[in-house]
Amino acid sequence: MNSADIPDTGQPCFFQAVVRMSTDFYDGEVSEVIRPKDLSAAGVANCYIVTEGGWYSIEPKRPDGTAVQGSAADWVWSSGSGLVSGVHFSAGRIVFQTSGNAGNAGIALTNDAGEIVWSWHIWMAQAPAEQTVNGRTFLDRNVGATEFDGALVGSLGVYFQWGRKDPFIGANRIQKNYTDEYEGVGFQTTGDNGFTALFLYNDALCEGFKFVNKEMDMSMSIANPTVFYGVYNSGGWKGSNSEVEDYWGGASGTKTNNDPCPAGYRVPTFDEINGFIKDIDTNKTAQENVSDQSYGRKYTVGDQTFMFPGSALRVWSAKMRYPGRVTFFWSSTISPTTEKKALDFYDYRWNTNADNTCCAMAVRCIKIQ
């Protein structure tokens, strides 16, 4: 086989040799040609869903289509060993392999100095379904969820500080009653007070998930996707509410470059998620807790089942509080009355709440009409 036998589609391709895989032509025996699946063909985003193992590529672009310039690519963090591998930059695209196991990971494009210039969330799970109520269509699970069933810890998904595109690792348990309601320290993975799921990280690019007691600007957020910035009784962001109000499109109602949802979806405004959940509650034919160990709610409306697991949250110091017990969802809407806060839903009674923007909560994406 030679290069004339391979159709030129503009995509990177690989010669699978007996002993290795390389982006270069291998002059040994070639057993197959591998062309990675283009995840960005359906649209560019900060999050890509992968439903099976294999080789994939993405265009290094922001959600608005602007190109990200870099010289190399690598993995940043992963919720499991071998979930992503072989990450590299080839023919202007980021290429990587997934194992086929469920989980979450971060990959990044770096510059010549080895610094992160942009990063993407790879969400490896069964494809989420869409659910429509009174004209509003949402995904049926939280971003990063690897399970639909709210009784399972995989349903909680990952957490986002308000206005940021990059996720923070999720929980390792579902539990209704706690001796201590908070983690011992942020991102503690072991011990009775360690509520965080195990994770791996690439120490060439980061120090893992960690808390830093300061506010951030946009450049800090982008360059340090695993750093949780927070200040007690304050926000995660420098600047006033009016300066950050559209970081998730809450003012414009659009998908922004900070949006953490897959292509075709965005973070809902307060009115959108409020209307969706209230319509479900009004039209329910049945409701119950998702399990004996969680106050998350399961609703039945006709032949549809709606699952709102007890996703909990990370407070200003990155400590997780009550994983599995109580439900929190961010909206894209900044608080109209209180600086450094944004609107969220909390508890199965669906209270409207305003929390500090440095808190991290689950996100449920709405389809862009």
Side-chain angles (χ1 to χ4, degrees):
M1 181 180 292
N2 57 51
S3 59
D5 300 316
I6 312 299
D8 183 7
T9 64
Q11 301 289 327
C13 65
F14 304 89
F15 289 91
Q16 177 66 60
V18 174
V19 295
R20 70 182 179 102
M21 175 176 286
S22 173
T23 54
D24 299 325
F25 287 95
Y26 184 71
D27 60 0
E29 181 183 355
V30 175
S31 58
E32 64 176 316
V33 175
I34 295 177
R35 192 175 300 281
K37 182 178 179 180
D38 181 8
L39 290 176
S40 47
V44 292
N46 292 318
C47 172
Y48 290 96
I49 300 170
V50 172
T51 59
E52 59 186 6
W55 282 95
Y56 297 89
S57 75
I58 63 171
E59 286 188 275
K61 291 184 176 180
R62 303 174 184 87
D64 68 358
T66 57
V68 180
Q69 302 299 322
S71 56
D74 210 341
W75 71 288
V76 182
W77 67 273
S78 175
S79 63
S81 178
L83 283 177
V84 294
S85 60
V87 184
H88 62 283
F89 194 46
S90 174
R93 303 178 69 88
I94 300 174
V95 181
F96 59 95
Q97 186 178 29
T98 64
S99 66
N101 294 327
N104 292 275
I107 62 174
L109 190 66
T110 59
N111 59 21
D112 290 339
E115 301 163 331
I116 293 174
V117 292
W118 202 264
S119 51
W120 291 264
H121 172 206
I122 307 302
W123 176 8
M124 293 157 281
Q126 178 186 20
E130 294 183 344
Q131 295 182 311
T132 302
V133 178
N134 288 344
R136 297 185 184 93
T137 301
F138 278 73
L139 293 181
D140 68 348
R141 63 201 69 192
N142 300 345
V143 175
T146 56
E147 302 282 355
F148 172 73
D149 185 349
L152 303 175
V153 70
S155 69
L156 306 187
V158 291
Y159 300 99
F160 295 87
Q161 289 188 287
W162 189 89
R164 295 189 74 177
K165 65 183 179 65
D166 295 293
F168 292 91
I169 192 74
N172 63 13
R173 69 185 71 182
I174 282 183
Q175 191 171 328
K176 183 184 290 186
N177 298 310
Y178 290 84
T179 302
D180 298 302
E181 62 180 286
Y182 295 99
E183 275 190 308
V185 295
F187 304 113
Q188 183 175 332
T189 59
T190 60
D192 290 342
N193 288 345
F195 302 160
T196 296
L198 293 172
F199 61 89
L200 304 171
Y201 63 92
N202 182 350
D203 60 9
L205 292 183
C206 70
E207 298 177 39
F209 292 109
K210 71 173 189 176
F211 167 67
V212 171
N213 189 197
K214 64 171 64 173
E215 292 185 325
M216 65 188 146
D217 57 27
M218 188 63 70
S219 63
M220 294 163 64
S221 170
I222 293 169
N224 302 287
T226 61
V227 174
F228 190 109
Y229 294 100
V231 176
Y232 177 69
N233 203 29
S234 185
W237 295 102
K238 298 176 181 179
S240 65
N241 282 13
S242 62
E243 293 175 281
V244 306
E245 65 177 351
D246 209 39
Y247 277 7
W248 269 355
S252 62
T254 62
K255 186 179 181 76
T256 68
N257 282 342
N258 274 18
D259 187 89
C261 294
Y265 303 87
R266 58 173 172 78
V267 180
T269 64
F270 175 77
D271 288 343
E272 288 168 336
I273 196 166
N274 176 49
F276 181 70
I277 294 175
K278 293 296 176 63
D279 284 344
I280 292 169
D281 189 55
T282 298
N283 295 297
K284 64 183 180 292
T285 52
Q287 67 174 3
E288 59 185 312
N289 289 348
V290 295
S291 73
D292 292 338
Q293 289 299 316
S294 176
Y295 293 120
R297 301 297 278 178
K298 176 182 178 182
Y299 291 94
T300 302
V301 181
D303 60 355
Q304 290 194 90
T305 298
F306 296 87
M307 200 75 70
F308 301 110
S311 49
L313 81 163
R314 291 187 181 278
V315 297
W316 70 274
S317 60
K319 293 181 181 181
M320 196 179 297
R321 183 184 184 194
Y322 290 143
R325 179 171 175 172
V326 181
T327 300
F328 287 85
F329 287 125
W330 271 132
S331 80
S332 63
T333 305
I334 201 75
S335 171
T337 59
T338 309
E339 283 293 316
K340 304 291 186 177
K341 291 191 175 185
L343 300 185
D344 62 87
F345 276 95
Y346 138 73
D347 197 359
Y348 66 87
R349 293 179 292 272
W350 302 122
N351 297 317
T352 303
N353 201 36
D355 273 296
N356 295 328
T357 54
C358 55
C359 293
M361 301 181 190
V363 166
R364 185 69 64 95
C365 301
I366 188 172
K367 187 173 185 178
I368 298 171
Q369 301 298 317

